[in-house]
Amino acid sequence: MPGMAEAPKSQMPARRKARKRALDVLFEADLRDLPVEEVLRAYLRRLEQPRPEHLGYAIGLVEGVDAHLDRIDELIASYAEGWTIDRMPVVDRNLARIAVYELLYVDEIDDAVAITEAVELARQMSTDDSPRFLNGMLARIAEFTTH
């Protein structure tokens, strides 16, 4: 409405941008079979100044996924019914990795938010089947990891 003060920006858009940046780095490393740290360093060198505020969260996601990749991929492989991790689209595989990292290791992110964000990015960037697939798999992982 005219004359009303603009509502403060929520964390959601910044975190979504951070997840998108993390996805860019993880996707490139996965697709090109390069070390994540190398791709992250190159990505950071290409960024213009001033760097976005959400960059710290994006770097934390990339480094966290990389540090815990074996455990994350083990869970994805266990709960991805009908799919091997290698057969998943690269976007889906890396969105799942980010979400599973948040489910397991980022306490300030609610499970539902981690899942919703992965599903929303899949809706924007992957196949028509990806949102439903990720939602089901991540919900099963969340249920497993909270019990």
Side-chain angles (χ1 to χ4, degrees):
M1 295 170 100
M4 290 190 68
E6 189 177 310
K9 289 185 180 178
S10 73
Q11 281 295 346
M12 202 56 100
R15 289 252 168 93
R16 184 168 294 163
K17 288 176 189 168
R19 289 178 186 95
K20 170 71 175 73
R21 286 183 186 275
L23 176 64
D24 290 346
V25 172
L26 294 169
F27 179 90
E28 182 180 345
D30 193 357
L31 195 65
R32 297 177 63 202
D33 198 24
L34 294 171
V36 170
E37 321 82 63
E38 180 183 314
V39 175
L40 178 60
R41 277 195 306 275
Y43 183 84
L44 293 174
R45 280 195 302 272
R46 292 191 304 262
L47 277 183
E48 294 179 17
Q49 301 293 340
R51 291 184 168 174
E53 288 180 32
H54 62 265
L55 188 60
Y57 190 71
I59 292 169
L61 290 173
V62 170
E63 291 175 341
V65 167
D66 192 39
H68 299 282
L69 189 61
D70 290 343
R71 174 72 177 132
I72 290 168
D73 279 359
E74 178 185 312
L75 281 169
I76 292 170
S78 297
Y79 288 88
E81 295 173 353
W83 286 90
T84 63
I85 201 158
D86 294 332
R87 278 192 54 233
M88 269 179 221
V90 180
V91 170
D92 295 1
R93 178 169 55 231
N94 287 288
L95 282 172
R97 286 171 171 161
I98 292 167
V100 171
Y101 173 74
E102 287 184 315
L103 289 171
L104 295 179
Y105 302 105
V106 185
D107 292 337
E108 77 259 20
I109 301 291
D110 290 338
D111 289 358
V113 171
I115 295 169
T116 300
E117 287 294 301
V119 168
E120 187 53 40
L121 284 168
R123 189 170 285 122
Q124 295 170 19
M125 305 177 67
S126 197
T127 70
D128 289 344
D129 295 331
S130 297
R132 190 178 73 246
F133 167 74
L134 282 173
N135 188 54
M137 179 183 65
L138 293 171
R140 289 189 298 277
I141 292 171
E143 190 177 316
F144 165 77
T145 58
T146 56
H147 289 102

